[in-house]
């Protein structure tokens, strides 16, 4: 049984015991309502007598009483409502609301349908009306939708947006989402709708911006700024595309282009770079040829080519002076992305560049060109920059068998930097055979937890038959077994 069901069952038991709805549920959390819906039906399997039935909902029956909380608690005190023929508990309003919440989640569809008629007088139960609007029983669904249509205004739509969108993912949940859109179209983008643009629920933010873009509720500049700072890629794409729809060659669109080109996220920057051609500013795309993002670099190359300039000679010119301290790191990888294998001659000198970012990108460029000189790359395994060592390791993995065992084993020593030790083990592990087992066993009692875990995983993959003909292998495997059993 999952956690949502368990929490829903606990909430159902508390409601049945007479606790107020607002104390039992976090009413602002959509998950609390869906958990209650599931939990009541699960709870009904072993406590059916404690749920309000259709007769009580319609005013024809008494409050259920049991040997448990019902008999001792709030619902044990009942009284007759004058002239109604209906039996209600003391403190009726609070009690009725809690019991109607249970009835709205009842396993019997006729009880749920009857509860909807009474729920109209209890605004706090509107979230359960939203849940019932996607009910599997058609009469319940129709009654709930009729009630929801009459009760949903801009304020309630904003507060229930997260729940409506969650229910909207169900098979019959589209009605609520459509109704939400109709209601929110009446809201001012500077008023209640604005709160949805910063809603903590990502689905709500996406819905709000999708609605704003479709209805033209936000200015292109505002959309561009949102695309630049929002951390959700869907919102970034929605807003960037809507903002750029107004960009034309004969206009001044700095309020749209500048936020996108300066954005931290590559999706927004790439959209801005691509729009430079449409805005008649293709020449500015050159500065993005060396962007830190591969996506932005690719878009910049497209714009540059469309303007009649081939980007490859530009990259070659940038990488020609390996001693240039101002060389952008993106120049090395950009050269590899559109260059030829012969361009490796321009990348090798960059392996000794003073900037570690340039060295790392140069190694990545060589790997992109599928040019690996083991002897030239091997010294980079001792580089002080972890990023360089990681790139060198990735480039050398296919050629791990060409690296001397002793050379790599020495770098497993405790006095070596951690990133060097991790790279050495990764390469030894890639070699396989007794070399791999020897390296793994040697790190099983290492003080570094991550290295120890990787070594244990490698050693545990071995089995005795694999080393039955090798005396050293048998000894190593026995030592590994002892160390693993001791918890080292």
């Amino acid at each position: 049984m999952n956690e949502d069901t368990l929490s829903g069952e606990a909430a159902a038991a508390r409601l049945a015991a007479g606790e107020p709805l607002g104390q039992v549920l976090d009413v602002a959390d959509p998950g609390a309502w869906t958990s209650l819906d599931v939990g009541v039906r699960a709870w009904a399997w072993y406590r059916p007598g404690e749920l309000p039935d259709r007769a009580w909902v319609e005013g024809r029956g008494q409050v259920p009483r049991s040997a448990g909380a019902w008999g001792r608690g709030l619902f044990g005190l009942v009284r007759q409502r004058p002239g109604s023929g209906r039996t209600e508990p003391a403190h009726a309003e609070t009690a009725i609301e809690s019991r109607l919440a249970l009835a709205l989640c009842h396993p019997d569809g006729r009880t749920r349908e009857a509860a909807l008629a009474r729920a109209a007088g209890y605004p706090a139960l509107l979230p359960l009306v939203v849940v019932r609007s996607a009910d599997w029983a058609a009469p319940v669904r129709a009654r709930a939708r009729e009630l929801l249509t009459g009760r949903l205004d801009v304020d309630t739509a904003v507060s229930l947006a997260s729940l409506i969108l969650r229910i909207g993912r169900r098979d019959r949940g589209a009605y609520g989402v459509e109704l939400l859109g109709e209601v929110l179209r009446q809201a001012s983008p500077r008023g209640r709708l604005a709160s949805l643009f910063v809603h903590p629920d990502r689905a709500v933010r996406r819905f709000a911006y999708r609605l704003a873009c479709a209805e033209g509720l936000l200015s292109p500049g505002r959309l561009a700024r949102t695309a630049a700072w929002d951390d959700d890629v869907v919102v970034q794409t929605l807003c960037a595309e809507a903002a750029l729809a107004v960009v034309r060659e004969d206009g001044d669109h700095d309020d749209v282009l500048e936020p996108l080109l300066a954005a931290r996220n590559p999706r927004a920057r790439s959209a801005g770079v691509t729009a430079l051609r449409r805005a008649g500013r293709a020449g500015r795309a050159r500065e993005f040829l060396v962007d830190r993002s591969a996506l932005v670099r690719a878009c910049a190359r497209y714009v540059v080519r469309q303007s009649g300039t081939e980007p490859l000679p530009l990259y070659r010119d940038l990488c020609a002076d390996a001693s240039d301290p101002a060389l952008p790191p993106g120049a090395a990888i950009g050269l590899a992305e559109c260059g030829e294998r012969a361009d490796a001659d321009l990348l090798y000198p960059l392996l000794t560049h003073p900037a570690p970012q340039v060295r790392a990108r140069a190694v990545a460029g060589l790997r992109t060109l599928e040019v690996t000189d083991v002897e030239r790359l091997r010294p980079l395994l001792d580089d002080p920059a972890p990023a360089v060592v990681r790139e060198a390791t990735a480039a050398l993995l296919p050629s791990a068998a060409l690296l001397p065992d002793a050379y790599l084993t020495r770098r497993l020593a405790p006095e070596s930097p951690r990133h060097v030790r991790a790279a050495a083990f990764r390469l030894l592990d890639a070699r396989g055979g007794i070399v791999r087992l020897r390296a793994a066993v040697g790190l099983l009692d290492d003080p570094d937890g991550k290295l120890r875990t990787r070594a244990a995983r490698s050693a545990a993959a071995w089995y005795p038959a694999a080393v039955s003909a090798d005396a050293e292998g048998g000894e190593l495997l026995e030592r590994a077994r002892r160390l693993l059993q001791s918890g080292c």
Side-chain angles (χ1 to χ4, degrees):
M1 190 175 294
N2 62 40
E3 185 177 346
D4 286 346
T5 303
L6 291 174
S7 64
E9 287 189 43
R14 293 175 63 187
L15 291 173
E19 292 189 43
L21 186 66
Q23 294 180 13
V24 174
L25 297 180
D26 178 2
V27 295
D29 178 12
W33 296 103
T34 54
S35 295
L36 176 66
D37 184 41
V38 174
V40 170
R41 291 195 298 277
W43 191 66
W45 279 99
Y46 49 89
R47 293 290 183 89
E50 297 187 11
L51 284 179
D53 57 12
R54 182 184 177 189
W56 176 86
V57 172
E58 294 177 342
R60 297 182 286 103
Q62 293 192 356
V63 177
R65 305 172 70 120
S66 74
W70 287 90
R72 299 189 304 271
L74 175 65
F75 293 122
L77 304 174
V78 296
R79 60 180 170 80
Q80 193 80 9
R81 176 173 291 181
S84 68
R86 177 180 299 175
T87 303
E88 299 289 9
H91 311 294
E93 291 305 312
T94 299
I96 291 174
E97 186 176 78
S98 297
R99 289 172 54 70
L100 280 178
L102 295 174
L104 285 168
C105 305
H106 199 284
D108 182 15
R110 291 167 297 182
T111 302
R112 297 195 304 276
E113 184 181 6
L116 284 166
R118 293 186 67 181
Y122 296 87
L125 296 178
L126 192 57
L128 288 176
V129 176
V130 173
V131 175
R132 297 279 68 86
S133 69
D135 199 279
W136 57 92
V140 177
R141 193 165 63 245
R143 190 73 172 267
R145 290 177 177 180
E146 179 183 356
L147 180 58
L148 185 62
T149 302
R151 295 291 304 278
L152 198 68
D153 56 21
V154 172
D155 288 337
T156 54
V158 168
S159 62
L160 293 176
S162 186
L163 176 62
I164 292 173
L165 293 175
R166 175 179 287 220
I167 298 300
R169 295 196 291 266
R170 298 182 178 179
D171 288 342
R172 305 170 185 87
Y175 178 85
V177 177
E178 293 172 0
L179 180 62
L180 177 67
E182 292 177 9
V183 172
L184 290 179
R185 284 184 181 91
Q186 306 168 17
S188 167
R190 296 184 179 274
R192 297 291 284 142
L193 186 60
S195 63
L196 299 185
F197 295 146
V198 292
H199 198 281
D201 187 340
R202 184 172 57 185
V204 174
R205 291 204 316 277
R206 291 176 177 179
F207 183 86
Y209 277 114
R210 189 175 286 114
L211 179 67
C213 292
E215 299 296 319
L217 301 178
L218 298 176
S219 68
R222 167 69 186 277
L223 291 170
R225 292 191 296 273
T226 299
W229 61 256
D230 200 282
D231 59 358
D232 181 14
V233 295
V234 175
V235 173
Q236 293 168 13
T237 302
L238 280 171
C239 293
E241 291 178 352
L244 293 173
V246 304
V247 173
R248 297 292 182 271
E249 186 172 350
D250 56 350
D252 180 10
H253 303 294
D254 286 346
D255 62 328
V256 173
L257 292 176
E258 293 305 323
L260 294 176
L261 295 175
R264 294 187 61 185
N265 67 78
R267 188 174 296 268
R269 285 202 312 281
S270 64
V273 170
T274 304
L276 288 173
R277 174 172 174 260
R278 196 191 318 163
R281 307 181 191 180
R284 192 175 172 191
R286 291 192 179 196
E287 64 186 82
F288 294 93
L289 290 172
V290 295
D291 193 90
R292 60 184 180 274
S293 165
L295 175 63
V296 177
R297 291 194 300 271
C299 291
R301 287 194 292 270
Y302 164 77
V303 174
V304 169
R305 285 194 184 100
Q306 293 298 309
S307 67
T309 302
E310 181 59 37
L312 182 55
L314 301 177
Y315 281 120
R316 286 171 175 165
D317 290 342
L318 286 169
C319 296
D321 185 3
S323 62
D324 181 8
L327 178 66
I333 187 65
L335 172 62
E337 287 168 345
C338 64
E340 305 167 351
R341 289 173 65 90
D343 290 311
D345 292 337
L346 289 172
L347 294 178
Y348 277 123
L350 299 180
L351 299 180
T352 58
H353 194 277
Q357 298 93 335
V358 174
R359 297 198 299 274
R361 291 303 182 95
V363 178
L366 290 169
R367 186 155 58 97
T368 300
L369 292 173
E370 298 182 348
V371 177
T372 302
D373 187 327
V374 174
E375 292 305 315
R376 288 192 180 187
L377 293 179
R378 191 170 78 170
L380 295 177
L381 293 175
D382 296 316
D383 197 280
V388 178
V389 176
R390 283 194 298 270
E391 289 290 350
T393 303
L396 289 170
L397 276 175
S399 307
L402 301 178
L403 296 168
D405 300 350
Y407 175 86
L408 295 175
T409 303
R410 283 197 301 271
R411 280 149 183 79
L412 294 177
E415 59 270 16
S416 297
R418 188 197 176 280
H419 62 278
V420 173
R421 302 177 69 221
F425 177 69
R426 188 179 175 190
L427 290 167
L428 287 167
D429 191 61
R431 293 196 53 162
I434 196 67
V435 174
R436 174 186 176 187
L437 179 59
R438 191 185 301 132
V441 174
L443 292 177
L444 285 178
D445 55 356
D446 194 88
D448 187 288
K450 289 187 177 180
L451 278 177
R452 192 168 61 246
T453 300
R454 293 177 187 174
R457 191 180 300 122
S458 179
W462 287 81
Y463 51 95
V467 293
S468 57
D470 191 316
E472 181 190 5
E475 294 175 2
L476 288 171
L477 207 57
E478 178 60 24
R479 184 185 172 203
R481 185 185 63 81
R482 291 196 306 269
L483 288 172
L484 290 172
Q485 288 180 347
S486 66
C488 291

